[in-house]
Structure formats: structure tokens, C-alpha cells
Amino acid sequence: MRAVDIIEKKKHGHELNRAEIEFLIRGYVSGTVPDYQASAFLMACCFQPLTPKETADLTEVMRTSGDTIDLDGIKGYTVDKHSTGGVGDKTTLVLGPLVAACGVVVAKMSGRGLGHTGGTLDKLDAVEGMRTDLSEQEMAKIVNQVGVAVCGQTGNIVPADKKLYALRDVTATVEDTALIAASIMSKKLAIANQGLILDVKTGRGAFMKTLDASIALAQRMVEIGTLMGRDVMALVTDMDLPLGKSIGNALEVRESLMTLQGKGEADLVELCAELGSRLLVMAGKASSVEDGRKQILRAIEDGSGLKKLEEMVVAQGGSLKSLHNQKIAANTVEVLSVTNGYVASMDALSFGHAAMKLGAGRETKEEKIDLEVGIEVHKKTGDSVKAGESLATVYYNRADRLEEVKSQILGSYTFSASKVAKPPIILAEVTKDSVFKF
Ligand code: URA
């Protein structure tokens, strides 16, 4: 077999078989297929989209390119949730404990943030002592004891994706639905969770900017997971607006706690209830989505979700005192409205970039982030506003880019003199059998 023949075949739109995909990907990981041939293959995939069978084969070859985690030591039906990345997305910190409080086991492997999107591991760094570098055995022990644990990628998980993603980044081949689906699912399926819910973000702050593109990605991922014998479904959810009210690591931990104390923003609570209820149905703990929703909301009201988060933090070495007393930057400045009326639209991407400029996120993988800084959003689409009222509070430690940050936040809003409806958060549901637009 020769890489050049495989590239040629794909270039002409013929379907590759598993052995050919394996030859290319394994060869790329081991170094026998050079960067230039892997690049040509990726570009061919952008012009001759991978078929569902090719996408599933690529995912499986990538998934098994390194270590896999079998979760054998964990008792019960285990679930996971994956978000394609957003601004202010602290869902895992709220959802994981809530689902665990309802009796479903959550073994979650999370990542760090890059670019305008945040990562759960960075947020957990804001809790002193918290360890996320858990071994498989430690993870199993904590999950069995508490019902939920969140850790970072251990060992050599999906090395093919690490190499391929870096190459896609510099060859303009990131934004291809099948390649994204294979990249995400190879990592999710490397952990043997039985149930998986995908939160596919759509809109200005998301990877996929349109609802149809997001639905197509969700369908591809659900298809792959189902083919591999997992229970998988997806919700397509709004990312035109930042989620909840805070962006930035310590601020988001504080908001997660408030949400678990029953003082959460409506969009975040609704998202957790909708994702969580479906996980409960998958695991056989709820008879319907409606029943699941009630259980999740009850776990907020009775404090059992909060208790689970506290138990998880303690089990992972974190300090409860630090969890409840987040260190937030002492310097603040308000971004004031110059208009009377209603917020007509806002741009989550601008908020993500503004937070990154404050130091809350990283532009390159090596950058160190400032856990204390960020933005608290007071006015979102549909809210009424008066001139002089605060749209957002900026928490900062470095003032050098403050004016840029303020004008970026203000510039991301548009206003209307007449009333504007609040946009829905849940836009579509994708299962193995159907697509439903709400
Ligand atoms: N996230 C991933 O893990 N992979 C992609 O290709 C895009 C987003």
C-alpha cells in the first residue's frame, strides 16, 4: 500500500476502506507517513467529504491509536457529557453533581480552554488543592464513592488526534464536519462510558455558526457513537450569547455554586435540566424527559447537587473553603449603556475574546492564565436597559488592554427601542432516529 495511491483515490471521491485509513493514520502517528501526505489527505477530505462509513472507520482508528480507558472498576451505568465549546460554559461543574445526586454515575474527562472557549480543568484550578491528574484507579475509587469525578486526559489518549489537530490547524482543514466529528468522538469514545450527551453549540461564539451546520455535526457524532454501541444523543444549543452571567475561571466557579444553591441564571438552569434529564432517561433513572427534569430541579432545590460538588472537591483533594471563597480580582470597571431600550443582540465571541485579553483564557497552549479575572454580564438579549446602567462588570488585574476590552464588550451589543423576545437556549434535539427543531 502507498499513501499517494490512497490520497489519489480520495481525491477522486472514491470511498476508502478501513485498511487504507488505518495505513494512513497509523503511518502518520508512527512517522512513516510524512506531514505533507497527511496534509494532502486532510485537504482531499474537505473537498470529497468522508462518507459515514469512512468517518466511523477514521474515528475508530484514531480512538485506538493510544490508550483507552475501560472504566472496569466503576459500578453502574456511566455517563458523560461533551460540549463543543462556548463562552461562559460552566455546565459540567453544575450538571455533573446534579446528575450524580440523581443516582447516575458520571466519569468525566475534561480539557483545558483554548482561544475564546474556556475549559473545565482551568475552572477547577481555581479551587485550591483540587487535583485533576487522577489515575484510572483513583478516578474509579472517587466515582464509586461519590458518584462523580472530573479529571484531565491521562496517559497517551488518542495521540492521532493530537498530531492531526495540530496539522489541521495550520493547513486550513479544521472546519470540516466529518473531521471535527471524528476528532471529538475518538476522544469521547476512548473512555468506555455507556451514555453520552453532546451539547453542540451554535451561533457567534461557537465553532458552527448556523443551526443547520450544527445539526449536521450532531448527526455525524450521534451516528458514530451509535455505530460503536453507545447510547448517544445531542442537543443543539445557543451560543450567540454567553452562557449564564460570568466568563472567567473563579467567576464561573462562583456562578456554578450559586446555581447549585438555587440562585442560577435561567439559561444555565434550563440547559442543565435539559441535558441532565436526558442522561437520567438514558440510564433508566427517569421514566421521561419531564420526570428527569423534575429530578434535576429537585436536586438543586434540596441542595443534594451542591453536596455532591462538595464531596467531589474534597475527594479530589480540593479545599471547601477555597471552593466557597473564590479569589476574584479586586479591580473592577463597569461597561455602561449609552442607550435606553432593549438589548437586541450580543456577540458571545467578542465576550470570549475580551475575557482572553484580560488573561482569563489563552491564545496558545503554553500561556498561563489568570484565574481571578473575567466579566460578569448584567444585560443580555431581551433585557431592558437605561442609559448609564451597567451592561457588564470587568474584573481585572492588568489595566494595559482595559480600554480595548471595554469597547469590545460595548461594541458587541446592539439595541432596539422596542421590546425584544429572549432567545431560546435549546434549539434542536438529535437522536439516532430523529432531528427535532424546537
Ligand atoms: N474540538 C475537537 O476536539 N476537535 C475538532 O476538530 C474541533 C473541536
Side-chain angles (χ1 to χ4, degrees):
M1 223 182 268
R2 295 190 319 158
V4 65
D5 300 325
I6 301 171
I7 298 165
E8 181 77 22
K9 185 173 171 188
K10 189 66 205 152
K11 185 180 81 178
H12 290 292
H14 302 300
E15 188 173 69
L16 301 180
N17 60 41
R18 172 74 155 266
E20 289 163 332
I21 292 174
E22 210 157 68
F23 180 85
L24 262 180
I25 302 302
R26 295 246 191 280
Y28 182 52
V29 174
S30 69
T32 55
V33 171
D35 272 355
Y36 52 83
Q37 285 186 315
S39 309
F41 168 69
L42 292 170
M43 191 56 86
C45 295
C46 292
F47 285 93
Q48 301 285 1
L50 291 166
T51 63
K53 161 105 181 34
E54 285 174 321
T55 314
D57 283 343
L58 175 63
T59 308
E60 182 58 7
V61 171
M62 288 170 71
R63 183 183 84 85
T64 51
S65 65
D67 301 338
T68 52
I69 297 187
D70 57 25
L71 300 179
D72 269 355
I74 297 179
K75 299 184 211 89
Y77 182 99
T78 58
V79 299
D80 190 5
K81 162 251 153 194
H82 177 77
S83 155
T84 56
V87 178
D89 188 359
K90 69 282 295 173
T91 310
T92 293
L93 296 184
V94 183
L95 180 69
L98 286 174
V99 169
C102 296
V104 177
V105 177
V106 185
K108 175 104 185 75
M109 199 169 277
S110 287
R112 300 212 169 265
L114 187 60
H116 69 281
T117 60
T120 302
L121 295 189
D122 296 322
K123 300 180 215 299
L124 288 174
D125 281 349
V127 180
E128 277 166 27
M130 186 81 186
R131 280 188 52 224
T132 50
D133 59 339
L134 306 175
S135 68
E136 211 178 320
Q137 291 73 20
E138 284 176 306
M139 176 89 167
K141 187 166 166 236
I142 296 170
V143 170
N144 284 333
Q145 182 191 321
V146 179
V148 54
V150 179
C151 71
Q153 275 193 13
T154 50
N156 187 30
I157 292 194
V158 197
D161 185 62
K162 289 193 188 88
K163 251 190 121 171
L164 282 169
Y165 196 87
L167 192 62
R168 285 167 61 208
D169 212 18
V170 292
T171 54
T173 53
V174 168
E175 277 160 45
D176 175 78
T177 304
L179 294 179
I180 296 175
S183 163
I184 293 175
M185 292 305 283
S186 62
K187 288 173 288 193
K188 292 316 317 175
L189 300 175
I191 311 163
N193 279 301
Q194 286 131 303
L196 171 65
I197 193 149
L198 300 159
D199 179 5
V200 180
K201 302 289 187 193
T202 191
R204 296 177 204 192
F207 234 100
M208 295 293 179
K209 307 290 179 204
T210 67
L211 181 58
D212 286 343
S214 304
I215 289 177
L217 176 62
Q219 284 180 295
R220 265 297 159 91
M221 294 196 288
V222 169
E223 201 172 80
I224 295 168
T226 307
L227 271 171
M228 298 207 187
R230 311 286 177 93
D231 298 324
V232 188
M233 64 180 303
L235 289 180
V236 178
T237 72
D238 176 79
M239 196 26 79
D240 270 345
L241 279 61
L243 182 63
K245 69 172 182 181
S246 52
I247 305 151
N249 301 283
L251 286 166
E252 290 188 46
V253 172
R254 189 166 77 176
E255 182 178 358
S256 303
L257 279 170
M258 287 178 70
T259 308
L260 288 170
Q261 287 162 345
K263 294 175 274 186
E265 297 294 304
D267 58 351
L268 178 59
V269 173
E270 184 181 346
L271 181 62
C272 290
E274 294 303 318
L275 292 168
S277 58
R278 285 164 175 82
L279 286 174
L280 297 194
V281 172
M282 260 183 211
K285 291 277 178 191
S287 54
S288 64
V289 170
E290 188 47 42
D291 174 35
R293 218 179 269 134
K294 280 189 193 143
Q295 292 190 45
I296 294 285
L297 295 177
R298 200 178 312 126
I300 295 180
E301 274 162 32
D302 66 15
S304 55
L306 176 63
K307 193 160 165 280
K308 276 287 163 221
L309 176 66
E310 291 175 337
E311 284 171 17
M312 181 186 93
V313 164
V314 171
Q316 294 191 216
S319 145
L320 278 187
K321 186 158 173 254
S322 161
L323 173 71
H324 286 281
N325 297 283
Q326 284 298 300
K327 269 195 215 148
I328 314 276
N331 308 303
T332 61
V333 63
E334 303 299 323
V335 178
L336 302 178
S337 173
V338 288
T339 322
N340 289 313
Y342 297 86
V343 176
S345 71
M346 58 201 295
D347 179 356
L349 184 61
S350 296
F351 277 86
H353 283 151
M356 196 163 66
K357 286 175 191 162
L358 291 168
R362 51 175 84 74
E363 278 170 87
T364 62
K365 273 189 184 155
E366 292 71 34
E367 254 174 275
K368 208 170 147 22
I369 58 177
D370 185 344
L371 299 169
E372 299 181 4
V373 300
I375 304 163
E376 208 158 58
V377 186
H378 307 305
K379 297 288 178 183
K380 290 180 45 168
T381 304
D383 288 340
S384 67
V385 61
K386 292 194 178 63
E389 229 183 328
S390 177
L391 296 167
T393 305
V394 176
Y395 294 81
Y396 66 97
N397 280 327
R398 272 177 18 206
D400 51 334
R401 296 178 85 177
L402 203 52
E403 284 314 309
E404 203 186 324
V405 165
K406 279 171 63 183
S407 58
Q408 185 155 29
I409 293 173
L410 187 58
S412 95
Y413 281 95
T414 66
F415 299 93
S416 158
S418 46
K419 217 168 169 15
V420 175
K422 281 215 168 267
I425 178 93
I426 313 291
L427 300 171
E429 180 189 75
V430 176
T431 68
K432 65 182 169 48
D433 305 313
S434 65
V435 174
F436 183 78
K437 287 189 192 177
F438 290 97

